[in-house]
Amino acid sequence: MKTWIVLLLWACAHQSVNAVALSRGPVRRKTKEIEGRQDKDLLRRSKRGWMWRQFFLQEEYTGTEHQYIGKLHSDMDKGDGTVMYVLAGDGAGTIFVIDSNSGDLHATRSLDREEKPFYTLRAQVVNKKTGLPLEPETEFTVKLHDINDNEPKFDKEVYTASVPERSHIGTYVTQVTAQDADDEMFGYSAKLSYSISQGHPYFSVEPNTGIIRTALGPSDMDREQREHYQVVIEVKDMAGQKGGLTGTTTVNISLTDVNDNPPRFMQSIYQFSVPEITKVESSVGRIRAVDADVGRNAEMDYTVVGGDGLDVFDVSTDRNTQEGILSLKKPLDYEKKKSYTLQIQVQNTHPDPRFLSSDAKDMATIRVSVEDVNEPPHFEKISYILEVKEDAAVGTMIGSVSAVDPDIRRSPVKYSIDRHTDVDWIFGVYVGNGSIFLQRPLDREEFAWHNISVIATEFRHLDNPEQTSRVPVYIRVLDVNDNPPMLASFYETFVCENAKAGQKIQTISAVDPDDPVGGHRFLFSLAPESSVRANFSLRDNGDNTAGIFTQRTGFGRMHKSTHLVAVVISDGHIPMQSSTGTGTLTIRVCTCDRDGNMEMCNAEALSSAAGLSTGALVAILLCILILLLIVVLFAALKRQKKKEPLIISKEDVRDNVVSYNDEGGGEEDTQAFDIGALRHPEVMEESKLRRDILPSESLYPPPPLRKTLVPSRENADVRNFINQRVQENDGNPTAPPYDSLATYAYEGNGSVAESLSSLGSMSSEGEQDYNYLSEWGPRFRKLADMYGGEDSDWDS
């Protein structure tokens, strides 16, 4: 009620102030004369009799009539109705209207200061009759007086904040802010005050700033007791006085975790059982401790700190579940120790020094029982290395392996060799004692090492593959001097015809596949057959090399082009090995220039130098011969595939044998071909239409045929036959209007071969002699072969 009274008094005071301002009248200004029109009439600048700076208008007017703002008046207005007031500017004519006669200014509707706080207008006095301005325009503003019509609003509807647990009183949490659209410069409409309406007694808010702080001590702000809080903040304008408008917002506050809780085991004693055959690093079991903290603060470490299994077991932490994993460090043996006791400690990985205490660690006891299992045999060593000389006889004992049954029964063990590792069955093992012996001869130069696997199995579990053990056995073959040395390579040695005595022509070296302990030591000498009347000498250099020298001056290439020098190479080991056959040098005699460079050697020497033996040359010749035979056969096959052309040239119209693949219906089938062409001219039809074109009705029938058979020695019947066919074609209107080739199969009466058709042959059923066809030439040879054979397929 008091608020409405204050507003009413304020409005009355505002109206009185405007009335006083208007009653005082306009402010006069001095003017001065100015030059005027061109019609030589002097105009004097009139005095501006009015000037307005601003008017005030209350916002949110609720009346039904136009709201009165003020009155405009000019000294030019004498009250005789000759002047008119004109208004322009923001909202002129729509929001603001002026009485053109009296100058009264009104607002047509209610205005909101928050939308627009003021309006700029321009007023002018003009002559009502002429419309000419009597005074310059005057600009003024209409300002809106604010009322408290907007409640304050927060920037967010919901705020989210966090603060560490165990924080002290007054710890900053967050800040909320609100905005009021009312005028801050006018009254307390925009003066805001913050307060907390929900969230006591844990948090507080500063009235002027909106900063939220903790209101309780560390012991009361425990995340493990309560983690989330919902605080409601209220803001009120009018400086928080009664009657002010309010707004609210919600602040969700969470307590973040600190490491203020140590881990604790869920039980004080844990028991596990593990088979004695469990592999090292395998998991035995899991233990668990709980920590009220979360995230990084809940990470923990487990440690074995005591017990009789410190060197047998280990414990680690599963970072995903924070559980302790008990694992095996060493193999177990039920026969030696049946149980273990361990002391396990747990503590945080990242402790907070502010909350360390004497109970920051926790302890638990673990008891592990070892279970007896039927174990496979155990070898005494994880691997064996044995040695044997390569000349050892079959059956020689190389060494032995040993395995025992670790169980209390101590069952006997059977030994065997995995044949996948000894495919050639070079070694054997005695089933009862594991002794390994030689079954086949060895050669170190072929394999210096042999890797085999020996299998141990209990006799009472021979069929159980799980009760077997394996051990690798590495057998080294020791070298024995059993290979003679030989020349290191094939030497292309030559001597010049003009060589002098004592001239060095070649340096040789040797190789030996053996591998003596002290290294190789080769001795070089000439064989006895090369020492008698020798043309060359050998000098051992003492460094496993030797030089070949000439013994005389001058060599005759034409007399002897090649010299063979047998070199004996011996090693210095026991037993001594030497070779001569593999140490023969071939020395060619060549023509050289003055500097000793080879210019020419004979063919024999060249072939020898190339390293081609007689067998190699024979093999090359055989290959060449085979290739030639293949080429000849291929050419012969190609020639047989070629067929003689049926008609060599279009101009060659002589009789030719034409073969067709169409067999037809036999000799009784007279519709498949023109049988008349195969008959004698006397039995042929007198008129025959063409069969090579589509027949049509004959407008002009052909003239009758005249048979003129005049036999003569020159085959007159053939001539008559041809003349008859010519007349038929000449008189046939269906014949094409171009030259065409007509071929007839008539052979004539005087032919020795008579007709080829069996229709006109009286002796076709009997045997005939066709050998005379071979005398006609190569073209009839094929027919002679076809019809002359007694076992021909045509007879079947």
Side-chain angles (χ1 to χ4, degrees), residues 484-487 525 567-571 577-583:
M486 62 185 68
L487 289 176
S525 62
V567 179
V568 177
I569 308 174
S570 305
D571 55 24
Q577 300 287 341
S578 61
S579 61
T580 55
T582 58

Side-chain angles (χ1 to χ4, degrees), residues 54 74 239 287 428 495 541 613 616:
Q54 59 185 3
S74 174
I287 56 177
V495 61
N541 298 326
S613 61

Side-chain angles (χ1 to χ4, degrees), residues 164-166 223-224 256-261 293-294 297 352 354-355:
E165 65 171 332
R166 304 284 183 179
R223 188 198 65 83
E224 288 72 32
T256 58
D257 184 56
V258 296
N259 195 358
D260 58 341
N261 295 281
D293 297 322
V294 294
N297 298 322
D352 193 336
R354 297 176 299 172
F355 306 104

Side-chain angles (χ1 to χ4, degrees), residues 96-112:
F96 303 99
V97 294
I98 188 171
D99 190 339
S100 60
N101 295 322
S102 63
D104 292 335
L105 185 64
H106 292 82
T108 61
R109 61 181 176 82
S110 176
L111 300 178
D112 188 359

Side-chain angles (χ1 to χ4, degrees), residues 175-192:
Q175 183 179 13
V176 295
T177 55
Q179 306 294 333
D180 195 324
D182 294 327
D183 191 0
E184 298 178 353
M185 307 301 296
F186 187 79
Y188 293 99
S189 298
K191 185 68 174 178
L192 305 180

